[in-house]
Amino acid sequence: MSEVKYSLNGKQFKDFGVYVSESSNLAGMLERKQITQYDWAEYHGISPDLSRPRYKEREIELKCFIRGENWEDLFANFRDLVISDFSKAGTQRLQVQPMGFKTLAYEVFMKDEVQIEKQFSQGEMFATFTLKMIEPNPIKKIFKTSLDSFRLKYDSPSETEIFIGDGTKLIGRGNVNFLFDYSEPTYQPSGISLVQGSAFNNTYYEMYTIPSGELVYQFSVNVTLSTAKNIILYVIGRKPDNTYGLVKASAIMNGNTGLNTISTTSEINLDDYAKFFFKVLDSQGAEIPGIVYSNPWIETAEVVGEWQNMLGKEKIIIIAGDIDDVKNVETPAEIIWDKI
């Protein structure tokens, strides 16, 4: 295959009559940030600190041409691909698949205004334009999967950005442990627990406060298992009239022996509930012998990005940040680029 395929947020360039004639800085060394250096009077030259290289953002440029049956058709293609997607909040996903080889993926935003250089003619029409884009967090590890639900675990002492491949984004630091269920958007929790502290087992949980204007909350808890088991978190709410109801059940999680974090997200009116409690059962609905609960959390959550339905499709997941610090990666997804 000699074709280089370009896509933006899952839209193939060629489906909009757009073709890339020249690209720059998709790969290769990035410009290094200023190096700390010491100039000792008693020594020749300088002493640079080269222990932890840091790099600037990646600047990508694509020189493109576009065709249409007429001027109106050409502009509609340009509007639906370029204007539509780069008008969205956050970064946008640019993917390049060179001649059938491994996909290159970038989270980018538009650097400069895009101008169409028109070439008028009767009938079929062509024009050229240049996309100048910035990838703000360019050092990354890239995964690929066709699974609609899977777990990603790793350790990182520094903050990492996780771009899920469905248009949404998470922040991970420390003991990162996420279950991605592509049947709904992935929510980014606030990181502030609203649960009042107490011992966990068979204990109901109240909120410190109910944030005004918030409707979406993430419920999570740590469970320690004596054996690996498929598990589900059930969040049960008690209403002011002392009736009970299921608030939300999580997707099935492949729990490992030892410590696991399981969570679920729900849009609810917290004023409808007085208290909550969490119950983790196996995937058959049975009690789990010896299970130990800890660290229950309820926190506000939001979708960061614009979610796309990726069920049944290939997903490309990016972890961006200090990739050399990312250790102990556990996931069924395939690592296609360990560091680029």
Side-chain angles (χ1 to χ4, degrees), residues 24-37:
S24 62
N25 211 23
L26 290 173
M29 286 292 292
L30 296 167
E31 183 180 354
R32 199 166 185 163
K33 288 188 174 181
Q34 184 173 350
I35 299 171
T36 300
Q37 58 187 37

Side-chain angles (χ1 to χ4, degrees), residues 125-305:
M125 180 168 291
F126 294 87
T128 61
F129 62 91
T130 300
L131 297 177
K132 295 181 180 180
M133 297 165 284
I134 298 291
E135 184 183 30
N137 201 349
I139 306 299
K140 53 193 180 287
K141 188 186 295 283
I142 300 182
F143 301 78
K144 178 178 73 172
T145 187
S146 294
L147 296 172
D148 288 332
S149 178
F150 74 95
R151 195 146 205 96
L152 173 63
K153 296 175 66 175
Y154 60 88
D155 298 324
S156 176
S158 58
E159 186 173 282
T160 52
E161 292 184 310
I162 310 168
F163 299 94
I164 314 303
D166 62 358
T168 64
K169 167 188 167 182
L170 287 167
I171 302 296
R173 182 175 183 172
N175 297 319
V176 179
N177 188 347
F178 289 116
L179 173 65
F180 300 134
D181 178 6
Y182 286 90
S183 64
E184 59 183 14
T186 300
Y187 287 83
Q188 173 68 54
S190 68
I192 301 173
S193 182
L194 303 173
V195 169
Q196 292 194 29
S198 66
F200 181 81
N201 265 343
N202 299 317
T203 301
Y204 287 91
Y205 282 87
E206 299 181 73
M207 312 287 284
Y208 285 114
T209 182
I210 299 176
S212 61
E214 299 291 344
L215 293 175
V216 181
Y217 295 85
Q218 180 166 294
F219 302 84
S220 63
V221 67
N222 291 343
V223 291
T224 302
L225 304 177
S226 57
T227 58
K229 193 175 291 291
N230 291 336
I231 56 177
I232 300 173
L233 166 63
Y234 296 89
V235 178
I236 299 167
R238 191 181 84 179
K239 298 182 179 181
D241 63 1
N242 287 327
T243 60
Y244 298 85
L246 178 66
V247 175
K248 185 74 179 291
S250 73
I252 297 175
M253 173 185 160
N254 303 117
N256 296 323
T257 301
L259 186 65
N260 300 266
T261 302
I262 186 167
S263 63
T264 188
T265 306
S266 181
E267 180 175 336
I268 61 171
N269 181 0
L270 282 180
D271 289 324
D272 292 341
Y273 297 93
K275 299 183 180 183
F276 298 91
F277 80 93
F278 301 158
K279 192 70 173 177
V280 176
L281 304 175
D282 68 20
S283 57
Q284 305 302 312
E287 296 277 354
I288 301 172
I291 187 171
V292 177
Y293 296 85
S294 61
N295 200 28
W297 277 54
I298 303 175
E299 52 197 313
T300 59
E302 63 174 334
V303 177
V304 180

Side-chain angles (χ1 to χ4, degrees), residues 6-63:
Y6 294 84
S7 67
L8 182 65
N9 291 336
K11 298 177 179 178
Q12 296 293 328
F13 278 32
K14 66 178 183 179
D15 292 340
F16 294 83
V18 175
Y19 300 87
V20 177
S21 58
E22 187 177 334
S23 64
S24 62
N25 211 23
L26 290 173
M29 286 292 292
L30 296 167
E31 183 180 354
R32 199 166 185 163
K33 288 188 174 181
Q34 184 173 350
I35 299 171
T36 300
Q37 58 187 37
Y38 305 93
D39 189 355
W40 308 110
E42 63 270 29
Y43 294 102
H44 298 295
I46 60 172
S47 179
D49 182 0
L50 304 176
S51 60
R52 295 279 300 215
R54 292 293 183 268
Y55 299 96
K56 294 185 177 181
E57 70 279 9
R58 185 186 302 275
E59 297 193 20
I60 297 171
E61 185 171 300
L62 301 180
K63 293 184 178 179

Side-chain angles (χ1 to χ4, degrees), residues 292-326:
V292 177
Y293 296 85
S294 61
N295 200 28
W297 277 54
I298 303 175
E299 52 197 313
T300 59
E302 63 174 334
V303 177
V304 180
E306 296 210 13
W307 180 69
Q308 308 165 49
N309 188 340
M310 295 295 290
L311 289 176
K313 301 177 183 177
E314 180 181 273
K315 297 91 173 169
I316 300 292
I317 301 98
I318 296 174
I319 301 176
D322 279 339
I323 296 305
D324 290 336
D325 288 339
V326 173

